[in-house]
C-alpha cells in the first residue's frame, strides 16, 4: 500500500484514482492505515454490509472464509 502512496503523482498524471477496498469494517481500515503510518492519497472502502457484495461482483470473495482474495483491478471511467 505505501508504494501506491509513493506513486500518487504518476496516477494523477494518468487521471487515475486508487481505491482500497476490503470486507473489513471502516474501523478496521482506520487501524490498518495507522499501522502503515497513514494513507493520505486514496480512500479505503469497506465492503462490509452486505458483506462482500462488491468482492462477489469481481469474483474475489471467499465464501468459506468470509474474506476476499488480494486482487488488483484497473477500471476505466466509463
Amino acid at each position: 500500500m505505501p508504494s501506491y502512496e509513493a506513486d500518487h503523482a504518476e496516477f494523477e498524471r494518468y487521471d487515475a484514482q486508487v481505491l482500497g477496498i476490503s470486507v473489513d469494517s471502516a474501523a478496521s481500515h482506520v487501524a490498518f492505515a495507522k499501522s502503515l503510518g497513514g494513507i493520505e492519497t486514496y480512500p479505503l472502502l469497506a465492503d462490509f454490509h452486505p458483506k462482500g457484495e462488491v468482492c462477489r461482483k469481481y469474483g474475489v470473495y471467499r465464501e468459506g472464509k468470509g474474506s476476499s482474495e488480494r486482487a488488483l483491478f484497473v477500471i476505466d471511467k466509463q
Side-chain angles (χ1 to χ4, degrees), residues 18-73:
V18 173
L19 305 169
I21 186 169
S22 81
V23 297
D24 298 324
S25 68
S28 173
H29 287 290
V30 170
F32 174 71
K34 284 182 182 178
S35 78
L36 296 175
I39 296 176
E40 304 292 325
T41 60
Y42 59 91
L44 297 176
L45 308 175
D47 187 15
F48 190 68
H49 183 72
K51 188 169 185 172
E53 182 176 355
V54 174
C55 292
R56 280 185 185 88
K57 289 179 179 181
Y58 284 89
V60 295
Y61 188 73
R62 293 190 261 178
E63 291 291 340
K65 296 193 178 217
S67 64
S68 62
E69 299 287 339
R70 291 180 186 249
L72 175 70
F73 296 93

Side-chain angles (χ1 to χ4, degrees), residues 1-18 41-42:
M1 300 303 253
S3 64
Y4 294 117
E5 289 278 305
D7 290 335
H8 178 69
E10 191 70 9
F11 288 111
E12 280 190 325
R13 187 170 82 105
Y14 287 99
D15 194 26
Q17 171 67 56
V18 173
T41 60
Y42 59 91

